[in-house]
PDB file of all heavy atoms in Angstrom:
ATOM      1  N   ALA S   1      47.856  33.762 -18.000  1.00  0.00           N
ATOM      2  CA  ALA S   1      46.993  34.428 -17.023  1.00  0.00           C
ATOM      3  C   ALA S   1      45.747  33.585 -16.727  1.00  0.00           C
ATOM      4  O   ALA S   1      45.279  33.536 -15.581  1.00  0.00           O
ATOM      5  CB  ALA S   1      46.592  35.807 -17.542  1.00  0.00           C
ATOM      6  N   TYR S   2      45.228  32.917 -17.751  1.00  0.00           N
ATOM      7  CA  TYR S   2      44.101  31.992 -17.540  1.00  0.00           C
ATOM      8  C   TYR S   2      44.497  30.912 -16.538  1.00  0.00           C
ATOM      9  O   TYR S   2      43.731  30.587 -15.616  1.00  0.00           O
ATOM     10  CB  TYR S   2      43.686  31.372 -18.873  1.00  0.00           C
ATOM     11  CG  TYR S   2      42.803  30.156 -18.735  1.00  0.00           C
ATOM     12  CD1 TYR S   2      41.424  30.287 -18.581  1.00  0.00           C
ATOM     13  CD2 TYR S   2      43.346  28.862 -18.736  1.00  0.00           C
ATOM     14  CE1 TYR S   2      40.606  29.163 -18.421  1.00  0.00           C
ATOM     15  CE2 TYR S   2      42.548  27.751 -18.584  1.00  0.00           C
ATOM     16  CZ  TYR S   2      41.179  27.896 -18.424  1.00  0.00           C
ATOM     17  OH  TYR S   2      40.381  26.789 -18.268  1.00  0.00           O
ATOM     18  N   LEU S   3      45.687  30.335 -16.698  1.00  0.00           N
ATOM     19  CA  LEU S   3      46.142  29.293 -15.779  1.00  0.00           C
ATOM     20  C   LEU S   3      46.328  29.844 -14.366  1.00  0.00           C
ATOM     21  O   LEU S   3      46.053  29.140 -13.373  1.00  0.00           O
ATOM     22  CB  LEU S   3      47.440  28.679 -16.291  1.00  0.00           C
ATOM     23  CG  LEU S   3      47.322  27.844 -17.575  1.00  0.00           C
ATOM     24  CD1 LEU S   3      48.695  27.438 -18.075  1.00  0.00           C
ATOM     25  CD2 LEU S   3      46.444  26.616 -17.345  1.00  0.00           C
ATOM     26  N   ASN S   4      46.784  31.087 -14.259  1.00  0.00           N
ATOM     27  CA  ASN S   4      46.899  31.692 -12.926  1.00  0.00           C
ATOM     28  C   ASN S   4      45.543  31.758 -12.226  1.00  0.00           C
ATOM     29  O   ASN S   4      45.462  31.682 -10.994  1.00  0.00           O
ATOM     30  CB  ASN S   4      47.489  33.098 -13.033  1.00  0.00           C
ATOM     31  CG  ASN S   4      48.975  33.089 -13.360  1.00  0.00           C
ATOM     32  OD1 ASN S   4      49.676  32.107 -13.111  1.00  0.00           O
ATOM     33  ND2 ASN S   4      49.471  34.181 -13.920  1.00  0.00           N
ATOM     34  N   GLU S   5      44.498  31.908 -12.994  1.00  0.00           N
ATOM     35  CA  GLU S   5      43.153  32.031 -12.432  1.00  0.00           C
ATOM     36  C   GLU S   5      42.435  30.684 -12.279  1.00  0.00           C
ATOM     37  O   GLU S   5      41.722  30.451 -11.308  1.00  0.00           O
ATOM     38  CB  GLU S   5      42.298  32.943 -13.332  1.00  0.00           C
ATOM     39  CG  GLU S   5      42.822  34.357 -13.480  1.00  0.00           C
ATOM     40  CD  GLU S   5      42.479  35.237 -12.284  1.00  0.00           C
ATOM     41  OE1 GLU S   5      41.635  34.818 -11.454  1.00  0.00           O
ATOM     42  OE2 GLU S   5      43.039  36.337 -12.186  1.00  0.00           O
ATOM     43  N   PHE S   6      42.598  29.789 -13.279  1.00  0.00           N
ATOM     44  CA  PHE S   6      41.704  28.630 -13.366  1.00  0.00           C
ATOM     45  C   PHE S   6      42.437  27.286 -13.482  1.00  0.00           C
ATOM     46  O   PHE S   6      41.797  26.286 -13.815  1.00  0.00           O
ATOM     47  CB  PHE S   6      40.774  28.785 -14.577  1.00  0.00           C
ATOM     48  CG  PHE S   6      39.986  30.059 -14.572  1.00  0.00           C
ATOM     49  CD1 PHE S   6      40.323  31.101 -15.435  1.00  0.00           C
ATOM     50  CD2 PHE S   6      38.911  30.232 -13.715  1.00  0.00           C
ATOM     51  CE1 PHE S   6      39.598  32.280 -15.449  1.00  0.00           C
ATOM     52  CE2 PHE S   6      38.165  31.409 -13.717  1.00  0.00           C
ATOM     53  CZ  PHE S   6      38.514  32.437 -14.582  1.00  0.00           C
ATOM     54  N   GLU S   7      43.733  27.229 -13.243  1.00  0.00           N
ATOM     55  CA  GLU S   7      44.485  25.989 -13.437  1.00  0.00           C
ATOM     56  C   GLU S   7      43.881  24.819 -12.654  1.00  0.00           C
ATOM     57  O   GLU S   7      43.805  23.688 -13.159  1.00  0.00           O
ATOM     58  CB  GLU S   7      45.940  26.184 -13.018  1.00  0.00           C
ATOM     59  CG  GLU S   7      46.803  24.941 -13.252  1.00  0.00           C
ATOM     60  CD  GLU S   7      48.254  25.172 -12.862  1.00  0.00           C
ATOM     61  OE1 GLU S   7      48.500  26.054 -12.013  1.00  0.00           O
ATOM     62  OE2 GLU S   7      49.135  24.480 -13.405  1.00  0.00           O
ATOM     63  N   SER S   8      43.424  25.081 -11.452  1.00  0.00           N
ATOM     64  CA  SER S   8      42.917  23.998 -10.606  1.00  0.00           C
ATOM     65  C   SER S   8      41.632  23.375 -11.146  1.00  0.00           C
ATOM     66  O   SER S   8      41.261  22.263 -10.752  1.00  0.00           O
ATOM     67  CB  SER S   8      42.668  24.513  -9.183  1.00  0.00           C
ATOM     68  OG  SER S   8      41.693  25.545  -9.195  1.00  0.00           O
ATOM     69  N   ASP S   9      40.945  24.066 -12.074  1.00  0.00           N
ATOM     70  CA  ASP S   9      39.711  23.519 -12.643  1.00  0.00           C
ATOM     71  C   ASP S   9      39.978  22.386 -13.630  1.00  0.00           C
ATOM     72  O   ASP S   9      39.074  21.598 -13.937  1.00  0.00           O
ATOM     73  CB  ASP S   9      38.920  24.617 -13.356  1.00  0.00           C
ATOM     74  CG  ASP S   9      38.378  25.659 -12.389  1.00  0.00           C
ATOM     75  OD1 ASP S   9      38.474  25.430 -11.172  1.00  0.00           O
ATOM     76  OD2 ASP S   9      37.871  26.699 -12.862  1.00  0.00           O
ATOM     77  N   LYS S  10      41.181  22.335 -14.171  1.00  0.00           N
ATOM     78  CA  LYS S  10      41.610  21.259 -15.076  1.00  0.00           C
ATOM     79  C   LYS S  10      40.651  21.067 -16.251  1.00  0.00           C
ATOM     80  O   LYS S  10      40.247  19.959 -16.583  1.00  0.00           O
ATOM     81  CB  LYS S  10      41.766  19.943 -14.313  1.00  0.00           C
ATOM     82  CG  LYS S  10      42.816  19.999 -13.215  1.00  0.00           C
ATOM     83  CD  LYS S  10      42.940  18.681 -12.477  1.00  0.00           C
ATOM     84  CE  LYS S  10      44.006  18.769 -11.380  1.00  0.00           C
ATOM     85  NZ  LYS S  10      44.129  17.507 -10.633  1.00  0.00           N
ATOM     86  N   LYS S  11      40.285  22.166 -16.892  1.00  0.00           N
ATOM     87  CA  LYS S  11      39.370  22.113 -18.031  1.00  0.00           C
ATOM     88  C   LYS S  11      40.120  22.299 -19.344  1.00  0.00           C
ATOM     89  O   LYS S  11      41.185  22.924 -19.386  1.00  0.00           O
ATOM     90  CB  LYS S  11      38.305  23.210 -17.912  1.00  0.00           C
ATOM     91  CG  LYS S  11      37.250  22.941 -16.861  1.00  0.00           C
ATOM     92  CD  LYS S  11      36.151  23.991 -16.912  1.00  0.00           C
ATOM     93  CE  LYS S  11      35.329  23.881 -18.178  1.00  0.00           C
ATOM     94  NZ  LYS S  11      34.211  24.857 -18.193  1.00  0.00           N
ATOM     95  N   LYS S  12      39.527  21.781 -20.406  1.00  0.00           N
ATOM     96  CA  LYS S  12      40.041  22.067 -21.740  1.00  0.00           C
ATOM     97  C   LYS S  12      39.770  23.535 -22.051  1.00  0.00           C
ATOM     98  O   LYS S  12      38.715  24.071 -21.696  1.00  0.00           O
ATOM     99  CB  LYS S  12      39.362  21.182 -22.783  1.00  0.00           C
ATOM    100  CG  LYS S  12      39.846  21.434 -24.201  1.00  0.00           C
ATOM    101  CD  LYS S  12      39.205  20.469 -25.208  1.00  0.00           C
ATOM    102  CE  LYS S  12      39.732  20.759 -26.620  1.00  0.00           C
ATOM    103  NZ  LYS S  12      39.177  19.818 -27.627  1.00  0.00           N
ATOM    104  N   VAL S  13      40.712  24.194 -22.718  1.00  0.00           N
ATOM    105  CA  VAL S  13      40.554  25.608 -23.042  1.00  0.00           C
ATOM    106  C   VAL S  13      41.039  25.855 -24.468  1.00  0.00           C
ATOM    107  O   VAL S  13      41.997  25.225 -24.933  1.00  0.00           O
ATOM    108  CB  VAL S  13      41.333  26.501 -22.042  1.00  0.00           C
ATOM    109  CG1 VAL S  13      42.824  26.179 -22.041  1.00  0.00           C
ATOM    110  CG2 VAL S  13      41.109  27.984 -22.344  1.00  0.00           C
ATOM    111  N   VAL S  14      40.349  26.739 -25.167  1.00  0.00           N
ATOM    112  CA  VAL S  14      40.772  27.173 -26.499  1.00  0.00           C
ATOM    113  C   VAL S  14      40.774  28.696 -26.535  1.00  0.00           C
ATOM    114  O   VAL S  14      40.069  29.352 -25.761  1.00  0.00           O
ATOM    115  CB  VAL S  14      39.841  26.642 -27.616  1.00  0.00           C
ATOM    116  CG1 VAL S  14      39.974  25.147 -27.769  1.00  0.00           C
ATOM    117  CG2 VAL S  14      38.397  27.057 -27.367  1.00  0.00           C
ATOM    118  N   LEU S  15      41.578  29.254 -27.431  1.00  0.00           N
ATOM    119  CA  LEU S  15      41.589  30.695 -27.645  1.00  0.00           C
ATOM    120  C   LEU S  15      41.076  30.971 -29.048  1.00  0.00           C
ATOM    121  O   LEU S  15      41.615  30.440 -30.029  1.00  0.00           O
ATOM    122  CB  LEU S  15      42.994  31.271 -27.463  1.00  0.00           C
ATOM    123  CG  LEU S  15      43.098  32.800 -27.482  1.00  0.00           C
ATOM    124  CD1 LEU S  15      44.202  33.288 -26.539  1.00  0.00           C
ATOM    125  CD2 LEU S  15      43.354  33.355 -28.885  1.00  0.00           C
ATOM    126  N   LEU S  16      40.025  31.766 -29.163  1.00  0.00           N
ATOM    127  CA  LEU S  16      39.461  32.146 -30.447  1.00  0.00           C
ATOM    128  C   LEU S  16      40.066  33.482 -30.869  1.00  0.00           C
ATOM    129  O   LEU S  16      39.856  34.495 -30.197  1.00  0.00           O
ATOM    130  CB  LEU S  16      37.933  32.254 -30.372  1.00  0.00           C
ATOM    131  CG  LEU S  16      37.169  31.099 -29.715  1.00  0.00           C
ATOM    132  CD1 LEU S  16      35.669  31.292 -29.915  1.00  0.00           C
ATOM    133  CD2 LEU S  16      37.628  29.754 -30.252  1.00  0.00           C
ATOM    134  N   ALA S  17      40.818  33.474 -31.979  1.00  0.00           N
ATOM    135  CA  ALA S  17      41.425  34.694 -32.528  1.00  0.00           C
ATOM    136  C   ALA S  17      40.475  35.229 -33.596  1.00  0.00           C
ATOM    137  O   ALA S  17      40.450  34.735 -34.724  1.00  0.00           O
ATOM    138  CB  ALA S  17      42.800  34.392 -33.110  1.00  0.00           C
ATOM    139  N   VAL S  18      39.692  36.243 -33.226  1.00  0.00           N
ATOM    140  CA  VAL S  18      38.628  36.748 -34.100  1.00  0.00           C
ATOM    141  C   VAL S  18      39.101  38.020 -34.787  1.00  0.00           C
ATOM    142  O   VAL S  18      39.380  39.021 -34.133  1.00  0.00           O
ATOM    143  CB  VAL S  18      37.343  37.031 -33.302  1.00  0.00           C
ATOM    144  CG1 VAL S  18      36.244  37.540 -34.226  1.00  0.00           C
ATOM    145  CG2 VAL S  18      36.894  35.779 -32.557  1.00  0.00           C
ATOM    146  N   GLY S  19      39.174  37.974 -36.132  1.00  0.00           N
ATOM    147  CA  GLY S  19      39.718  39.103 -36.878  1.00  0.00           C
ATOM    148  C   GLY S  19      41.230  39.175 -36.696  1.00  0.00           C
ATOM    149  O   GLY S  19      41.824  38.490 -35.858  1.00  0.00           O
ATOM    150  N   GLY S  20      41.870  39.988 -37.533  1.00  0.00           N
ATOM    151  CA  GLY S  20      43.295  40.243 -37.355  1.00  0.00           C
ATOM    152  C   GLY S  20      44.231  39.145 -37.793  1.00  0.00           C
ATOM    153  O   GLY S  20      45.425  39.181 -37.486  1.00  0.00           O
ATOM    154  N   ASN S  21      43.728  38.132 -38.522  1.00  0.00           N
ATOM    155  CA  ASN S  21      44.580  37.013 -38.946  1.00  0.00           C
ATOM    156  C   ASN S  21      45.076  37.231 -40.367  1.00  0.00           C
ATOM    157  O   ASN S  21      44.276  37.292 -41.301  1.00  0.00           O
ATOM    158  CB  ASN S  21      43.797  35.700 -38.863  1.00  0.00           C
ATOM    159  CG  ASN S  21      43.417  35.342 -37.444  1.00  0.00           C
ATOM    160  OD1 ASN S  21      44.278  35.088 -36.614  1.00  0.00           O
ATOM    161  ND2 ASN S  21      42.118  35.348 -37.161  1.00  0.00           N
ATOM    162  N   SER S  22      46.384  37.351 -40.531  1.00  0.00           N
ATOM    163  CA  SER S  22      46.947  37.546 -41.865  1.00  0.00           C
ATOM    164  C   SER S  22      46.989  36.243 -42.652  1.00  0.00           C
ATOM    165  O   SER S  22      47.147  36.244 -43.870  1.00  0.00           O
ATOM    166  CB  SER S  22      48.356  38.129 -41.765  1.00  0.00           C
ATOM    167  OG  SER S  22      49.202  37.283 -41.020  1.00  0.00           O
ATOM    168  N   THR S  23      46.867  35.127 -41.960  1.00  0.00           N
ATOM    169  CA  THR S  23      46.802  33.816 -42.604  1.00  0.00           C
ATOM    170  C   THR S  23      45.885  32.930 -41.775  1.00  0.00           C
ATOM    171  O   THR S  23      45.723  33.137 -40.564  1.00  0.00           O
ATOM    172  CB  THR S  23      48.195  33.168 -42.713  1.00  0.00           C
ATOM    173  OG1 THR S  23      48.062  31.831 -43.193  1.00  0.00           O
ATOM    174  CG2 THR S  23      48.910  33.134 -41.380  1.00  0.00           C
ATOM    175  N   PHE S  24      45.273  31.939 -42.432  1.00  0.00           N
ATOM    176  CA  PHE S  24      44.412  31.014 -41.714  1.00  0.00           C
ATOM    177  C   PHE S  24      45.052  29.631 -41.623  1.00  0.00           C
ATOM    178  O   PHE S  24      44.375  28.629 -41.411  1.00  0.00           O
ATOM    179  CB  PHE S  24      43.033  30.956 -42.378  1.00  0.00           C
ATOM    180  CG  PHE S  24      42.237  32.199 -42.128  1.00  0.00           C
ATOM    181  CD1 PHE S  24      42.270  33.243 -43.035  1.00  0.00           C
ATOM    182  CD2 PHE S  24      41.500  32.348 -40.972  1.00  0.00           C
ATOM    183  CE1 PHE S  24      41.561  34.402 -42.809  1.00  0.00           C
ATOM    184  CE2 PHE S  24      40.783  33.511 -40.721  1.00  0.00           C
ATOM    185  CZ  PHE S  24      40.812  34.545 -41.646  1.00  0.00           C
ATOM    186  N   GLU S  25      46.378  29.586 -41.761  1.00  0.00           N
ATOM    187  CA  GLU S  25      47.093  28.335 -41.523  1.00  0.00           C
ATOM    188  C   GLU S  25      46.959  27.947 -40.054  1.00  0.00           C
ATOM    189  O   GLU S  25      46.910  28.808 -39.162  1.00  0.00           O
ATOM    190  CB  GLU S  25      48.573  28.495 -41.869  1.00  0.00           C
ATOM    191  CG  GLU S  25      48.874  28.621 -43.343  1.00  0.00           C
ATOM    192  CD  GLU S  25      50.371  28.586 -43.610  1.00  0.00           C
ATOM    193  OE1 GLU S  25      51.016  27.579 -43.263  1.00  0.00           O
ATOM    194  OE2 GLU S  25      50.897  29.569 -44.141  1.00  0.00           O
ATOM    195  N   PRO S  26      46.913  26.648 -39.747  1.00  0.00           N
ATOM    196  CA  PRO S  26      46.833  26.213 -38.350  1.00  0.00           C
ATOM    197  C   PRO S  26      48.041  26.691 -37.545  1.00  0.00           C
ATOM    198  O   PRO S  26      49.155  26.777 -38.063  1.00  0.00           O
ATOM    199  CB  PRO S  26      46.810  24.681 -38.455  1.00  0.00           C
ATOM    200  CG  PRO S  26      46.334  24.397 -39.842  1.00  0.00           C
ATOM    201  CD  PRO S  26      46.854  25.519 -40.693  1.00  0.00           C
ATOM    202  N   GLU S  27      47.797  27.016 -36.297  1.00  0.00           N
ATOM    203  CA  GLU S  27      48.862  27.440 -35.384  1.00  0.00           C
ATOM    204  C   GLU S  27      49.203  26.304 -34.425  1.00  0.00           C
ATOM    205  O   GLU S  27      48.310  25.554 -34.002  1.00  0.00           O
ATOM    206  CB  GLU S  27      48.402  28.649 -34.565  1.00  0.00           C
ATOM    207  CG  GLU S  27      48.166  29.904 -35.364  1.00  0.00           C
ATOM    208  CD  GLU S  27      49.456  30.599 -35.760  1.00  0.00           C
ATOM    209  OE1 GLU S  27      50.506  30.290 -35.148  1.00  0.00           O
ATOM    210  OE2 GLU S  27      49.408  31.447 -36.665  1.00  0.00           O
ATOM    211  N   PRO S  28      50.478  26.179 -34.043  1.00  0.00           N
ATOM    212  CA  PRO S  28      50.818  25.195 -33.000  1.00  0.00           C
ATOM    213  C   PRO S  28      50.107  25.555 -31.695  1.00  0.00           C
ATOM    214  O   PRO S  28      49.849  26.731 -31.412  1.00  0.00           O
ATOM    215  CB  PRO S  28      52.344  25.352 -32.853  1.00  0.00           C
ATOM    216  CG  PRO S  28      52.794  26.052 -34.093  1.00  0.00           C
ATOM    217  CD  PRO S  28      51.657  26.904 -34.548  1.00  0.00           C
ATOM    218  N   ASP S  29      49.776  24.529 -30.912  1.00  0.00           N
ATOM    219  CA  ASP S  29      49.149  24.783 -29.618  1.00  0.00           C
ATOM    220  C   ASP S  29      50.074  25.617 -28.730  1.00  0.00           C
ATOM    221  O   ASP S  29      51.307  25.534 -28.825  1.00  0.00           O
ATOM    222  CB  ASP S  29      48.853  23.462 -28.904  1.00  0.00           C
ATOM    223  CG  ASP S  29      47.733  22.676 -29.569  1.00  0.00           C
ATOM    224  OD1 ASP S  29      46.950  23.272 -30.328  1.00  0.00           O
ATOM    225  OD2 ASP S  29      47.650  21.454 -29.317  1.00  0.00           O
ATOM    226  N   LEU S  30      49.473  26.416 -27.864  1.00  0.00           N
ATOM    227  CA  LEU S  30      50.228  27.085 -26.806  1.00  0.00           C
ATOM    228  C   LEU S  30      50.515  26.047 -25.724  1.00  0.00           C
ATOM    229  O   LEU S  30      49.617  25.305 -25.312  1.00  0.00           O
ATOM    230  CB  LEU S  30      49.413  28.233 -26.219  1.00  0.00           C
ATOM    231  CG  LEU S  30      48.947  29.322 -27.193  1.00  0.00           C
ATOM    232  CD1 LEU S  30      47.996  30.291 -26.488  1.00  0.00           C
ATOM    233  CD2 LEU S  30      50.128  30.078 -27.782  1.00  0.00           C
ATOM    234  N   ILE S  31      51.764  25.980 -25.278  1.00  0.00           N
ATOM    235  CA  ILE S  31      52.157  25.000 -24.260  1.00  0.00           C
ATOM    236  C   ILE S  31      52.742  25.737 -23.059  1.00  0.00           C
ATOM    237  O   ILE S  31      53.692  26.512 -23.202  1.00  0.00           O
ATOM    238  CB  ILE S  31      53.201  24.004 -24.803  1.00  0.00           C
ATOM    239  CG1 ILE S  31      52.673  23.295 -26.061  1.00  0.00           C
ATOM    240  CG2 ILE S  31      53.576  22.997 -23.720  1.00  0.00           C
ATOM    241  CD1 ILE S  31      51.495  22.394 -25.820  1.00  0.00           C
ATOM    242  N   VAL S  32      52.166  25.501 -21.904  1.00  0.00           N
ATOM    243  CA  VAL S  32      52.698  26.051 -20.651  1.00  0.00           C
ATOM    244  C   VAL S  32      52.733  24.898 -19.648  1.00  0.00           C
ATOM    245  O   VAL S  32      51.678  24.403 -19.224  1.00  0.00           O
ATOM    246  CB  VAL S  32      51.820  27.204 -20.114  1.00  0.00           C
ATOM    247  CG1 VAL S  32      52.340  27.664 -18.749  1.00  0.00           C
ATOM    248  CG2 VAL S  32      51.794  28.367 -21.097  1.00  0.00           C
ATOM    249  N   GLY S  33      53.934  24.459 -19.302  1.00  0.00           N
ATOM    250  CA  GLY S  33      54.060  23.300 -18.422  1.00  0.00           C
ATOM    251  C   GLY S  33      53.396  22.092 -19.057  1.00  0.00           C
ATOM    252  O   GLY S  33      53.685  21.736 -20.202  1.00  0.00           O
ATOM    253  N   LYS S  34      52.459  21.475 -18.335  1.00  0.00           N
ATOM    254  CA  LYS S  34      51.731  20.318 -18.860  1.00  0.00           C
ATOM    255  C   LYS S  34      50.413  20.713 -19.528  1.00  0.00           C
ATOM    256  O   LYS S  34      49.637  19.850 -19.935  1.00  0.00           O
ATOM    257  CB  LYS S  34      51.449  19.321 -17.728  1.00  0.00           C
ATOM    258  CG  LYS S  34      52.715  18.722 -17.106  1.00  0.00           C
ATOM    259  CD  LYS S  34      52.354  17.743 -15.997  1.00  0.00           C
ATOM    260  CE  LYS S  34      53.605  17.141 -15.374  1.00  0.00           C
ATOM    261  NZ  LYS S  34      53.276  16.199 -14.269  1.00  0.00           N
ATOM    262  N   HIS S  35      50.186  21.996 -19.654  1.00  0.00           N
ATOM    263  CA  HIS S  35      48.903  22.480 -20.165  1.00  0.00           C
ATOM    264  C   HIS S  35      49.030  22.939 -21.615  1.00  0.00           C
ATOM    265  O   HIS S  35      50.081  23.439 -22.026  1.00  0.00           O
ATOM    266  CB  HIS S  35      48.403  23.647 -19.316  1.00  0.00           C
ATOM    267  CG  HIS S  35      48.323  23.337 -17.858  1.00  0.00           C
ATOM    268  ND1 HIS S  35      47.340  22.547 -17.314  1.00  0.00           N
ATOM    269  CD2 HIS S  35      49.131  23.705 -16.824  1.00  0.00           C
ATOM    270  CE1 HIS S  35      47.526  22.445 -16.012  1.00  0.00           C
ATOM    271  NE2 HIS S  35      48.608  23.142 -15.682  1.00  0.00           N
ATOM    272  N   LYS S  36      47.956  22.782 -22.369  1.00  0.00           N
ATOM    273  CA  LYS S  36      47.965  23.269 -23.749  1.00  0.00           C
ATOM    274  C   LYS S  36      46.661  23.987 -24.067  1.00  0.00           C
ATOM    275  O   LYS S  36      45.611  23.729 -23.461  1.00  0.00           O
ATOM    276  CB  LYS S  36      48.197  22.130 -24.747  1.00  0.00           C
ATOM    277  CG  LYS S  36      47.022  21.203 -24.946  1.00  0.00           C
ATOM    278  CD  LYS S  36      47.304  20.207 -26.071  1.00  0.00           C
ATOM    279  CE  LYS S  36      46.086  19.321 -26.344  1.00  0.00           C
ATOM    280  NZ  LYS S  36      46.307  18.400 -27.486  1.00  0.00           N
ATOM    281  N   CYS S  37      46.755  24.891 -25.033  1.00  0.00           N
ATOM    282  CA  CYS S  37      45.601  25.662 -25.477  1.00  0.00           C
ATOM    283  C   CYS S  37      45.671  25.765 -26.995  1.00  0.00           C
ATOM    284  O   CYS S  37      46.679  26.214 -27.542  1.00  0.00           O
ATOM    285  CB  CYS S  37      45.616  27.058 -24.849  1.00  0.00           C
ATOM    286  SG  CYS S  37      44.334  28.173 -25.446  1.00  0.00           S
ATOM    287  N   SER S  38      44.618  25.326 -27.673  1.00  0.00           N
ATOM    288  CA  SER S  38      44.584  25.393 -29.138  1.00  0.00           C
ATOM    289  C   SER S  38      44.089  26.766 -29.584  1.00  0.00           C
ATOM    290  O   SER S  38      43.276  27.410 -28.914  1.00  0.00           O
ATOM    291  CB  SER S  38      43.664  24.312 -29.706  1.00  0.00           C
ATOM    292  OG  SER S  38      44.162  23.024 -29.389  1.00  0.00           O
TER     293      SER S  38
END
């Protein structure tokens, strides 16, 4: 949904998962087409 709104801006983006984490192991990046989000 972020890409639907802001893809043309071509900015780096991250998602902060605050609370609710059963583990703090690193997660693979989200990949959509040529875009990624850590």
